[in-house]
Amino acid sequence: MSFTWLEHTSDIRLKLESSSFEELFTDALRAMNELLGPEPARSEPGKTLKREISIEASDITSLLVDFLNAVLLETSIHKTLFSEVVSMKITNETISAILNGTPCRSLTRDIKAVTYHEADVKMNQAGKLETILVFDL
Amino acid sequence: MHALRQLSPFLWEIPKTFRKDMRVPARIYASAEMLGHILQDRSLEQLLNVTTLPGIVQYALAMPDIHEGYGFPVGGVAAFDTESGIISPGGIGYDINCGVRLLRSTLSRAEVQGHLAQLGKAIFNRVPSGVGKGGLYTFRDKEIDRVLLDGAKRIIELGYGSHNDSENTESGGKLDTADPACVSPQAKSRGSDQLGTLGAGNHFVEVEFISAIYDNTEADRLGLQKEQVCVMVHTGSRGLGHQVATDAIRTMNRAMPRFGFSLPDRELACAPFNSPEGQACMNAMSAAANFAWANRQLVTWEIREAWKKIFGTSETLDLVYDIAHNIAKLEPYDVNSARKMLLVHRKGATRAFPGQPVLIPGSMGTGSWLLKGHPGSVAASFGSSCHGAGRSMSRTMSRKLTRIPELLEELAAQGIVVNAGSQAGLSEEAPSAYKNVDEVVNVIDVCGIAKKVARLRPLAVIKG
């Protein structure tokens, strides 16, 4: 797992560096959840919610952003952090994932959206998949 | 930046010859000192990217509170020909119709001073605030569609306001271009319990007093005088608007190959205004804008209830004005001697039509400004002004540098009572993270966009 939070004047930037598509998407999800509400004390133990997310996009970068926004939507509606990836199948243009989440009484931070700004998934010189993501807070 | 040409003390231009893909020049309203700060982030590069959009008219404009956003910079204004131009959700922002309203009381600072602690608590308890916090009411199905169609007027119809409120709201608190059918079920779900809520981040309710008057005639017209206590509200369309914007940007990114657009930033995703995607975006954005006005109207009612609890049921808070600062509006302008309807995108910028009140909130603890739109605003900036102080420091840096106890002590030393749901939120919104609002407003005043009417100073801050 490898992600780093970076500076941004009004919002927050994330740098991801991962070995595979699955790891990239899982790391991004983990980072977004860290931003949303990492305090387990606020969760309601024993309850879980399962959601299936299926997305199509024109390229892997759009797919990543759209996937995170789809999870963010579910989190916002159900007040639930989806931190467990039960299954995930990814191609360049599609993702099908089943996630388990824990309802929370409250979250720490509001994310309006995951933006496409600076997002560009590509292979870096170390042979890792790398991208920046900017979250609108 | 060597391409910058100074046209007047506070107006700069980058000509369209600077970059091959620019269709119009970029203009920046700022002092030389502000320009130094502006050049430290990517806001100017983003402004130049805006100049490349199809159908853009005259210039892409930067207000003095400009800072880096995504796609459009925050503090950016751009107008597009409705026949040949585009609509871009990135030119509006994710918090569609985030805006502010100013309410005036009948009380003076002296009359309110001894009640500030109770008043702050009463407003904090009455107006739901905080991350993801739902309100007292849930609107679903036909009821939410009524709100999306009629905005603040629907909330007033339900008994939470008066005709005076919609009369003193930009566009009467309702855009007629709204179509609830263009808002996704997901967006409606995301916003169903959020009417009448403040949210978190830089949203607030602030009790203020008028510390100085600069235009006695206009102040009299608005029923304002020195030492009078007012209340400012800053919030927007909450989760519904965020989802409408997300949906629109996704739809447009997928549609763009069909339009043959090649853009330097995906967040500039756009569609021809007259295309099905363009019209759907306009209709959905307008519905979300109506939701925001409905939200601010319901929050106003909640504040009025808290006010009556402290000061008695005969005390009122009347609406001075309500403006949007993330929106796109259809407005007529003279372009090359012809009258044309343009779609003016204001992202982190407010309308400042001649004679119209213009509200400029500062950062926490610094207070706000009331200005009046000047006749020169139409030619200068498509009738647009700045929207606030603008951030100068990242949230991360602000959290690192701000010690909460010291911040609260500083505010207390100024007599400011704070009720906040989040300490992290407070540190991110510290005054030091923002530009100097007085300097920003000064540029707007000197440039003849809007003229100073009154300065307001805070007494109590309520935040999520």
Side-chain angles (χ1 to χ4, degrees):
Chain A
M1 172 182 90
S2 181
F3 60 82
T4 320
W5 297 107
L6 305 173
E7 294 283 318
H8 189 283
T9 311
S10 55
D11 299 302
I12 197 155
R13 293 163 77 219
L14 172 74
K15 182 178 173 183
L16 288 157
E17 198 174 3
S18 308
S19 303
S20 66
F21 282 165
E22 285 75 14
E23 193 179 292
L24 184 74
F25 278 61
T26 306
D27 288 349
L29 177 62
R30 195 170 285 125
M32 186 172 78
N33 285 339
E34 181 179 295
L35 195 54
L36 279 168
E39 298 189 31
R42 290 185 175 164
S43 65
E44 295 186 7
K47 289 188 190 175
T48 58
L49 183 67
K50 184 182 284 190
R51 301 303 285 178
E52 187 170 338
I53 309 271
S54 292
I55 303 274
E56 281 181 25
S58 55
D59 55 74
I60 191 69
T61 302
S62 299
L63 192 66
L64 177 59
V65 173
D66 292 349
F67 168 70
L68 291 173
N69 276 321
V71 179
L72 180 62
L73 172 63
E74 297 292 337
T75 295
S76 302
I77 292 172
H78 300 291
K79 312 284 188 274
T80 297
L81 272 184
F82 292 93
S83 46
E84 183 192 344
V85 178
V86 176
S87 67
M88 187 180 276
K89 283 183 199 164
I90 305 175
T91 69
N92 270 331
E93 295 169 357
T94 61
I95 180 168
S96 185
I98 296 176
L99 308 176
N100 270 343
T102 311
C104 300
R105 278 187 287 276
S106 64
L107 295 168
T108 303
R109 185 185 285 284
D110 203 8
I111 299 175
K112 294 188 181 83
V114 185
T115 78
Y116 294 91
H117 187 56
E118 294 190 72
D120 186 12
V121 176
K122 54 188 177 197
M123 195 74 77
N124 65 17
Q125 287 188 335
K128 301 271 194 177
L129 290 166
E130 181 183 294
T131 187
I132 300 283
L133 290 175
V134 178
F135 295 85
D136 185 354
L137 303 180
Chain B
M1 183 193 262
H2 62 87
L4 274 165
R5 292 180 195 166
Q6 188 167 16
L7 302 181
S8 65
F10 291 143
L11 179 59
W12 311 76
E13 182 174 283
I14 299 171
K16 71 176 189 179
T17 49
F18 177 69
R19 233 167 73 176
K20 266 195 320 207
D21 54 348
M22 287 173 70
R23 296 173 193 257
V24 294
R27 284 193 169 185
I28 305 105
Y29 285 98
S31 65
E33 190 187 341
M34 284 173 185
L35 206 54
H37 291 296
I38 289 168
L39 287 168
Q40 286 173 23
D41 70 15
R42 283 183 280 192
S43 41
L44 278 200
E45 179 190 336
Q46 291 178 337
L47 188 71
L48 295 181
N49 289 342
V50 173
T51 68
T52 71
L53 293 172
I56 188 167
V57 172
Q58 288 183 353
Y59 337 95
L61 291 159
M63 293 295 118
D65 56 345
I66 188 175
H67 64 80
E68 181 177 338
Y70 25 83
F72 281 60
V74 178
V77 179
F80 297 85
D81 187 304
T82 51
E83 289 168 21
S84 62
I86 55 90
I87 179 170
S88 175
I92 296 159
Y94 283 97
D95 194 355
I96 296 169
N97 191 5
C98 188
V100 290
R101 57 172 47 189
L102 184 69
L103 306 162
R104 63 171 183 261
S105 78
T106 61
L107 303 173
S108 69
R109 175 163 61 140
E111 290 170 304
V112 165
Q113 195 73 56
H115 303 274
L116 280 177
Q118 287 176 285
L119 178 62
K121 259 199 199 110
I123 294 173
F124 183 76
N125 289 337
R126 189 76 211 207
V127 181
S129 64
V131 176
K133 191 77 180 286
L136 305 170
Y137 317 96
T138 298
F139 287 71
R140 290 214 169 91
D141 305 320
K142 284 184 187 162
E143 261 314 317
I144 201 167
D145 281 357
R146 291 287 303 272
V147 170
L148 295 176
L149 205 53
D150 290 334
K153 290 188 175 169
R154 179 58 187 152
I155 301 300
I156 292 166
E157 263 171 24
L158 291 171
Y160 298 102
S162 72
H163 182 61
N164 180 67
D165 292 339
S166 57
E167 286 239 302
N168 290 304
T169 300
E170 181 182 337
S171 300
K174 169 190 161 166
L175 290 181
D176 291 330
T177 39
D179 182 356
C182 293
V183 175
S184 69
Q186 293 86 346
K188 291 176 189 175
S189 289
R190 198 170 163 185
S192 66
D193 67 345
Q194 296 198 324
L195 275 173
T197 69
L198 204 57
N202 64 358
H203 293 163
F204 62 79
V205 174
E206 192 164 275
V207 181
E208 306 174 323
F209 73 99
I210 296 178
S211 59
I213 299 268
Y214 294 81
D215 181 340
N216 286 308
T217 308
E218 182 63 8
D220 282 346
R221 189 185 78 79
L222 295 173
L224 299 173
Q225 57 189 330
K226 214 167 154 207
E227 295 293 307
Q228 185 173 2
V229 173
C230 298
V231 180
M232 184 164 278
V233 181
H234 176 216
T235 186
S237 51
R238 309 290 282 110
L240 184 137
H242 309 163
Q243 194 61 39
V244 165
T246 301
D247 294 342
I249 292 172
R250 181 165 187 246
T251 298
M252 286 192 175
N253 265 315
R254 289 158 76 89
M256 275 205 335
R258 202 158 38 83
F259 303 130
F261 295 158
S262 170
L263 300 175
D265 185 338
R266 286 185 208 238
E267 283 287 325
L268 286 171
C270 57
F273 182 69
N274 285 328
S275 67
E277 290 85 354
Q279 289 295 294
C281 176
M282 184 69 188
N283 296 149
M285 181 222 59
S286 302
N290 290 350
F291 187 90
W293 274 311
N295 187 34
R296 288 201 286 280
Q297 184 59 43
L298 197 47
V299 167
T300 298
W301 180 82
E302 290 161 348
I303 294 169
R304 283 169 171 159
E305 291 295 292
W307 199 266
K308 284 183 205 168
K309 183 180 171 187
I310 303 299
F311 298 114
T313 52
S314 61
E315 287 302 326
T316 56
L317 288 170
D318 291 328
L319 182 59
V320 175
Y321 206 65
D322 177 309
I323 49 165
H325 55 233
N326 277 356
I327 203 161
K329 306 284 286 295
L330 285 164
E331 295 166 358
Y333 291 90
D334 291 324
V335 180
N336 299 328
S337 310
R339 196 78 172 152
K340 297 207 97 171
M341 191 60 81
L342 301 182
L343 185 67
V344 183
H345 293 61
R346 296 185 180 101
K347 178 176 171 177
T350 74
R351 198 182 72 173
F353 280 177
Q356 176 216 302
V358 180
L359 307 172
I360 310 294
S363 62
M364 181 174 55
T366 59
S368 350
W369 281 92
L370 168 67
L371 294 89
K372 174 182 168 183
H374 191 264
S377 73
V378 174
S381 59
F382 296 109
S384 309
S385 171
C386 64
H387 81 308
R391 287 195 76 95
S392 60
M393 187 191 297
S394 73
R395 293 171 189 275
T396 317
M397 187 60 66
S398 188
R399 269 204 317 275
K400 275 187 198 151
L401 296 178
T402 304
R403 295 189 206 282
I404 300 290
E406 283 176 18
L407 174 61
L408 291 173
E409 267 174 35
E410 267 173 45
L411 295 172
Q414 295 172 60
I416 301 168
V417 166
V418 176
N419 282 273
S422 158
Q423 298 233 316
L426 265 186
S427 62
E428 288 177 6
E429 297 301 318
S432 51
Y434 285 84
K435 299 179 188 181
N436 184 319
V437 67
D438 296 336
E439 290 176 5
V440 168
V441 164
N442 201 47
V443 170
I444 295 297
D445 182 283
V446 168
C447 290
I449 290 173
K451 292 296 187 178
K452 295 173 185 174
V453 174
R455 181 74 165 90
L456 300 101
R457 300 273 176 196
L459 293 170
V461 175
I462 296 94
K463 291 181 61 58

